[in-house]
Amino acid sequence: MARGKLRIYVGAAPGVGKTYSMLSEAHRRVERGTDAVVAFVEHHGRPRTEVMLHGLEQIQRRELEYRGTVFTEMDVDAVLERKPAVALVDELAHTNVPGSRNGKRWQDIEELLEAGIDVISTVNIQHLESLGDVVDSITGVRQRETVPDEIVRRADQIELVDMSPQAIRRRMAHGNIYQPDKVDAALSNYFRPGNLTALRELALLWVADRVDEYLQEYRAEHSIRSTWQARERIVVGLTGGPEGRTLIRRAARMAAKGSGSEVLAVYIARSDGLTSASPKELAVQRTLVEDLGGTFHHVIGDDIPSALLEFARGVNATQIVLGSSRRKAWQYIFGPGVGATVARDSGPDLDVHIVTHEEVAKGRGLPVARGARLGRARLIAGWLVGVVGPALLSLLLTGIANGPGLANDVLLFLFLTVAAALLGGQLPALASAAVGSLLLNFYFTPPTHTLTVSDPKNIVAIVIFFAVAVAVASVVDLAARRTQQAARLRAESEILSFLAGSVLRGETTLNALLERVRETFGMDTVALLERTSDVDPWTCAGRADGTESGKPLLRPEDADVDMPVGDHMALALTGRVLPAEDRRVLAAFAAQAAVVLDRQRLVGEAERARELAEGNRIRTALLAAVSHDLRTPLASIKASVTSLRSDDVAWSEEDEAELLAGIEAGADRLDHLVGNLLDMSRLQTGTVTPLIREIDLDEVVPMALGGVPEGSVTLDIPEELPIVAVDPGLLERSVANLVENAVKYSPDGESVLVAASALGDRVELRIADRGPGVPDSAKDRIFEPFQRYGDAPRGAGVGLGLAVARGFAEAMGGTLAAEDTPGGGMTMVLTLRAAPGRPPVRPDLPAQATT
């Protein structure tokens, strides 16, 4: 019996329309004559979903009693007995009631599939087992019901049901997802715009990866080698020459013209380890392509055009970017070149772009072979075995009466030649072959003790011995060289890969990098020296010492090894003289050290520039505040005092009281403005030191409402909230600023709602108003110092209230963000840490959000 097929509708959150889409598909199949039944579908009281169940056959559910309550589950036996062509089973990740046939609903579905029944099901992205920790960190809600990723990946069809966060929240507000009494709690907790956006991105990325897997599997099953241009992938072929930067930038511009395009830079090295590429230039090009959002790949291949095309087709590339050849005209006698060969063999599915550059036809250097370097001990051993060994073997064989015979003598001498090649390389082996031939002739071919050979067969034997010895020595020496080259190149690649990765990720400081150089090459001291001009002395930018008393390095000439980096920088090492083959890796380290130094300086300069710019902006804003906002209450106070001191007017008691009230209000306003200025000054200078202690929110929040009119604020702070770990003074000042700002922008007759709730190990305080609100583009800007939004009057303040509130919140380890209030207005969300050791309170979310 053939296994049934599984189709799954995946959504980012409850309410996107998964069940509705599943039921719509069932109606379409029934209209086509397919035997489809509803095995289990939960409409959760949603009227539109409930209507879709009409006209579809529903299998009677099984009732189970658990802890005094009756639950209903899918009756697997009834579905198997009915044996429809298609069964609709909602909520793939659902956990069955204890006593059911299987523990999880996906196990029930497996039984239906094994019985040959096609199944259509639904699942939310947050229920995938691999995403549990990610969803918990985003929403603060740990999903108790999960399904293994492999179950969903094995589905024959996966369809994403997508909806924007704004549309979901509108459906929620209209009562199309949850009951009206649950809407506010859901919108304030699980269904926040940020949560929904993150969950939507998770769903889109997961389904996109699955689509890519389907495509790769299909191409592999059908042996498809041609490129399918599902999206633009641009491969840049690099030679390690200076033209690589031009090619990378050109490819990045091409990729920018299409959404979702990728840039893959590839450098192909020959397997023999011979290369003319500059490690410094390759490091620069790797950094450039990764800064532009692409990826760098290092590939080994003897046939450069074939390896490049193989790589491009392997990644399903659509375009290849190559540079015009740097070869001179006479060098084309060796072949048409890489660019022409790739363009000829690319076929109709790959576009090849040949980009001109400044290095065209300027020639290129030829690879320089570097032989394997053997130690002194091995060389001596090779010469001893190759020269002394045959002499000792001759003495041994001549001392044996009726020796083993000429054929065996030749094999013994050949063994010494091979051993000499293995130990000392080719030269000791050739010497061993020559000495062995002479000794065979002198001692073992008649007439003995002369160089004359009477039997022509013996001449042939000696000649063959010499030829075989030379051939074997050459092959063994070549194999030894290639083995050592491979080991060395592997070590170099590992070092360079670690170096490039750590530096590009910003994980390596200059001193740490220099210490890595010292350990890699076994040196005593490593220093990066630089000077600003040819006449200035050298200065040490960084240093790593392996001993307590390292040798001072004042100039590159004082070092045992120096590696120039540009015109005014050098990497200096003391301890020993490095062999020539080590300088290639050392050059890469030197180039990266210069990059790290430049990056550290740029970061420092950027930070100083930011501080200067911020200081200038604050000083300018402060002057504007002093010139207007602070003078306004002072002018009001002075006018009232002048009026009271005037002898020309006889003020009544009511008038005097009004003038005194004006003076008091102006003084309070001035005190508030100056207090905010002092608070911002403390935040800017980093002198805010919170005194954290455990306290209930209802002890602090009411105290922060003293500066607003009575009846303008509605409090909703549950008693069961966990205790928070905050600085009460800073929290009071933050809440006071937020409430005063909300009251200021609220319409007349509309009160500001101050509500608190618990979410995981956090406590949220939400200050919601019904004012004009703020667009998304301005939500971050309103927290900057001296910022007012819209047409706020100049006398309304200096624009520091929200900046001070966020600064104090972050000083206590919390956050402050702005959201839209459902129905209009703006909500300030102050998130605080619950006291450690206090059990977190789970929010009272609807069951659909966690199942």
Side-chain angles (χ1 to χ4, degrees), residues 159 224 275 398 430 595 663 777 779 817 824:
E159 185 169 336
I224 298 174
T275 176
T398 54
L430 294 177
V595 170
I663 293 174
S777 59
K779 281 188 171 63

Side-chain angles (χ1 to χ4, degrees), residues 511-640:
N511 289 337
L513 179 62
L514 296 179
E515 179 63 25
R516 176 76 178 183
V517 175
R518 191 192 66 77
E519 293 177 352
T520 299
F521 295 99
M523 307 301 284
D524 294 335
T525 303
V526 178
L528 184 64
L529 305 178
E530 67 170 341
R531 58 181 178 181
T532 56
S533 65
D534 294 335
V535 297
D536 293 333
W538 291 89
T539 58
C540 182
R543 181 185 177 95
D545 290 321
T547 59
E548 295 183 358
S549 57
K551 178 181 177 181
L553 289 174
L554 303 179
R555 300 177 305 166
E557 293 81 3
D558 299 332
D560 296 321
V561 179
D562 70 284
M563 176 61 64
V565 187
D567 297 330
H568 300 289
M569 193 176 295
L571 189 65
L573 303 88
T574 61
R576 64 187 179 92
V577 178
L578 291 179
E581 56 265 30
D582 284 343
R583 294 182 67 86
R584 178 173 59 180
V585 179
L586 183 61
F589 272 106
Q592 294 288 20
V595 170
V596 171
L597 180 61
D598 289 342
R599 178 178 296 173
Q600 290 181 354
R601 289 177 174 174
L602 288 174
V603 170
E605 291 175 2
E607 181 63 24
R608 288 192 294 272
R610 188 193 64 80
E611 293 175 356
L612 290 174
E614 182 68 15
N616 288 334
R617 189 178 66 84
I618 290 178
R619 279 192 291 272
T620 302
L622 183 58
L623 288 175
V626 171
S627 65
H628 188 282
D629 297 291
L630 296 181
R631 292 180 63 182
T632 300
L634 285 174
S636 176
I637 294 172
K638 183 175 177 58
S640 298

Side-chain angles (χ1 to χ4, degrees), residues 165-410:
Q166 293 78 11
I168 297 176
R169 286 173 63 86
R170 282 196 300 270
R171 294 184 68 180
M172 176 73 70
H174 293 158
N176 293 332
I177 300 178
Y178 294 151
Q179 297 300 320
D181 60 334
K182 299 291 187 180
V183 169
D184 288 339
L187 289 175
S188 301
N189 292 284
Y190 195 86
F191 286 82
R192 300 179 192 169
N195 289 359
L196 295 176
T197 302
L199 293 174
R200 185 189 191 195
E201 183 178 14
L202 280 178
L204 290 171
L205 291 175
W206 194 90
V207 175
D209 288 342
R210 187 65 185 116
V211 171
D212 227 9
E213 291 177 14
Y214 277 136
L215 181 60
Q216 296 299 333
E217 291 174 4
Y218 183 85
R219 286 166 55 85
E221 290 174 0
H222 294 78
S223 301
I224 298 174
R225 301 290 297 166
S226 60
T227 300
W228 284 6
Q229 300 184 2
R231 59 175 170 173
E232 293 291 337
R233 284 189 175 94
I234 304 173
V235 171
V236 184
L238 302 178
T239 64
E243 78 281 357
R245 305 183 202 181
T246 302
L247 303 183
I248 292 170
R249 293 190 180 97
R250 178 62 180 274
R253 291 196 298 271
M254 294 167 59
K257 296 179 181 179
S259 178
S261 299
E262 297 181 44
V263 175
L264 302 91
V266 57
Y267 170 71
I268 300 176
R270 296 185 182 277
S271 59
D272 58 7
L274 305 180
T275 176
S276 58
S278 166
K280 175 182 177 181
E281 184 63 30
L282 279 180
V284 172
Q285 293 175 15
R286 176 193 289 267
T287 303
L288 176 61
V289 71
E290 294 187 352
D291 287 344
L292 292 174
T295 56
F296 186 90
H297 304 267
H298 194 113
V299 177
I300 303 298
D302 292 321
D303 189 342
I304 304 297
S306 298
L308 181 60
L309 289 171
E310 186 72 20
F311 174 83
R313 293 192 175 103
V315 299
N316 199 27
T318 57
Q319 303 181 58
I320 297 178
V321 176
L322 298 173
S324 297
S325 179
R326 287 184 287 140
R327 295 194 301 176
K328 294 184 180 295
W330 63 268
Q331 290 179 311
Y332 281 95
I333 62 175
F334 299 108
V338 173
T341 305
V342 170
R344 181 191 65 202
D345 299 339
S346 61
D349 54 349
L350 268 174
D351 296 334
V352 180
H353 303 267
I354 305 297
V355 179
T356 59
H357 49 84
E358 296 179 351
E359 303 296 323
V360 173
K362 290 187 177 181
R364 62 181 184 182
L366 297 176
V368 179
R370 294 181 175 87
R373 180 177 179 272
L374 301 175
R376 182 184 297 272
R378 288 191 58 180
L379 287 173
I380 294 175
W383 282 104
L384 288 176
V385 171
V387 177
V388 180
L392 295 178
L393 180 61
S394 299
L395 292 176
L396 177 63
L397 294 177
T398 54
I400 300 175
N402 299 323
L406 182 61
N408 292 325
D409 295 339
V410 169

Side-chain angles (χ1 to χ4, degrees), residues 672 676-677 679-680 683 730 733-745 767 769 773-774 778-789 792 796-810 815-819 826-830:
H672 180 73
N676 273 338
L677 286 172
D679 288 339
M680 180 51 60
L683 289 171
L730 298 184
R733 192 59 182 270
S734 297
V735 176
N737 283 353
L738 295 174
V739 172
E740 290 175 9
N741 184 78
V743 170
K744 179 169 55 180
Y745 286 100
I767 298 94
D769 63 61
V774 175
K779 281 188 171 63
D780 286 333
R781 196 168 65 249
I782 62 176
F783 291 103
E784 297 179 4
F786 303 103
Q787 293 292 322
R788 298 183 185 86
Y789 177 72
V798 294
L800 287 177
L802 295 182
V804 169
R806 172 174 275 189
F808 283 171
E810 293 177 348
T815 60
L816 177 61
E819 294 181 359
M826 186 170 66
T827 299
M828 291 293 175
V829 183
L830 178 60

Side-chain angles (χ1 to χ4, degrees), residues 23 26-27 30 34-41 52-60 78-79 81-89:
L23 294 173
H27 279 285
V30 169
T34 304
D35 182 18
V37 301
V38 176
F40 188 96
V41 169
M52 292 297 294
L53 286 170
H54 297 166
L56 295 176
E57 179 185 350
Q58 300 186 47
I59 302 295
Q60 185 70 29
V79 178
E81 183 178 353
R82 170 65 174 77
K83 196 170 178 56
V86 179
L88 276 61
V89 184

Side-chain angles (χ1 to χ4, degrees), residues 62 110 230 381 441 444 473 757 776 828:
R62 181 186 179 192
E110 283 293 314
N441 183 9
F444 302 105
S757 61
D776 293 339
M828 291 293 175

